[in-house]
Amino acid sequence: MKMIFLGPPGAGKGTLADRAKDILGIPQISTGGIFRAAVAAGSPLGLKVKSIMDAGKLVDDETTIELVKERLTQDDVKKGYILDGFPRTIPQAEALAGFSTVDKVINFDIPDSGVLVRLGGRRVCRMCGFNFHAVFNPPPQEGVCDKCGGEVYIRDDDQPEAIQKRLEVYRAQTEPLINYYREKNLLLDIDASPMIEEIVVSFKKVLGL
Ligand code: AP5
Ligand code: MG
Ligand code: ZN
């Protein structure tokens, strides 16, 4: 199954992808996660994207498309994959169509108020990338990831100004993909507001699992 997770920042794409990859036995490919790893490693890609990400803007299409195209040549995607956070623009979607088919697009439906609560409390593991939440899902020991022992921190783009910018960018550049994929009959909507267990149930239901 080749799948796209589409939705606003903080909708819970990464949180559901972490569960869905085990349910379906396919890898999660998070472009945001790949960029954050590059920033942490201080690689040329990381140096290029850090200030763009911190400001809540999108990395340019060319860089992002190349990255995904290259990732999809690796062996682990033969049975399928979950693209978490890609495509985010119409040119990215058109480019993807040139190097891969897409079976389903999951559209995460959530109001801005829900997004603000989620992003405001998000805590992330610096080592494994797991998404915690200060209220809904705190790590058992404050500041320490119980999956890998890594440091749990607040993402640089989870500051109020960057959150507003990401929501604006989402409306202008990413939301048009909802109609783009609906017209291709690939879109499945899920209500992303409930707690994660309920969302896992809806996810399986829309896929007929
Ligand atoms: P990216 O990392 O993709 O960030 P984003 O889209 O802003 O989305 P988030 O990761 O913030 O949210 P999410 O939907 O995964 O929510 P999460 O599961 O964490 O991208 C970062 C940056 O990289 C971009 O701004 C851009 O600069 C660049 N980039 C990435 N892809 C790009 C592309 N294709 N093109 C160009 N640039 C690109 O959940 C949020 C919080 O809520 C967590 O704390 C979680 O614990 C909690 N939570 C989740 N679900 C639930 C639930 N059901 N109930 C209660 N709490 C929940
Ligand atoms: Mg994410
Ligand atoms: Zn961890």
Side-chain angles (χ1 to χ4, degrees):
M1 173 98 64
K2 295 174 180 170
M3 202 178 266
I4 292 169
F5 279 10
L6 180 66
K13 303 180 296 293
T15 301
L16 181 62
D18 186 61
R19 299 286 296 268
K21 68 179 179 8
D22 297 333
I23 294 168
L24 300 168
I26 53 179
Q28 163 194 13
I29 300 173
S30 159
T31 40
I34 296 170
F35 289 141
R36 275 186 293 282
V39 170
S43 69
L45 175 66
L47 295 176
K48 176 168 155 184
V49 301
K50 177 159 181 17
S51 60
I52 300 172
M53 291 175 76
D54 287 354
K57 296 180 187 161
L58 290 182
V59 175
D60 66 278
D61 283 339
E62 200 189 339
T63 302
T64 311
I65 289 164
E66 266 317 301
L67 183 93
V68 174
K69 192 174 176 185
E70 153 65 30
R71 178 65 184 84
L72 294 188
T73 62
Q74 292 176 21
D75 278 348
D76 64 336
V77 304
K78 291 219 169 89
K79 277 204 247 157
Y81 51 77
I82 298 166
L83 285 176
D84 162 12
F86 180 93
R88 255 180 161 86
T89 65
I90 297 280
Q92 289 181 13
E94 287 173 343
L96 175 65
F99 56 82
S100 181
T101 52
V102 172
D103 300 315
K104 298 282 177 226
V105 179
I106 305 291
N107 179 40
F108 287 64
D109 191 15
I110 185 167
D112 286 1
S113 54
V115 159
L116 293 176
V117 171
R118 288 191 182 169
L119 293 181
R122 176 163 56 192
R123 304 289 182 269
V124 182
C125 174
R126 221 183 262 288
M127 290 219 302
C128 73
F130 189 84
N131 292 310
F132 295 95
H133 191 281
V135 177
F136 305 131
N137 185 23
Q141 189 188 339
E142 203 187 323
V144 183
C145 175
D146 60 328
K147 325 275 172 221
C148 76
E151 181 206 355
V152 173
Y153 79 115
I154 299 179
R155 268 169 53 174
D156 291 338
D157 60 353
D158 280 344
Q159 305 301 331
E161 262 180 43
I163 290 174
Q164 280 309 328
K165 183 70 194 170
R166 274 150 72 211
L167 280 170
E168 269 171 43
V169 167
Y170 170 76
R171 296 276 171 257
Q173 305 213 56
T174 309
E175 206 171 43
L177 290 173
I178 295 177
N179 276 336
Y180 176 91
Y181 284 118
R182 205 185 293 285
E183 281 167 9
K184 296 187 188 308
N185 264 323
L186 296 175
L187 206 78
L188 299 171
D189 295 290
I190 57 167
D191 175 5
S193 290
M195 294 307 286
I196 181 66
E197 296 307 329
E198 205 175 310
I199 296 173
V200 169
V201 171
S202 325
F203 174 73
K204 287 184 179 167
K205 198 167 160 196
V206 294
L207 290 177
L209 298 172

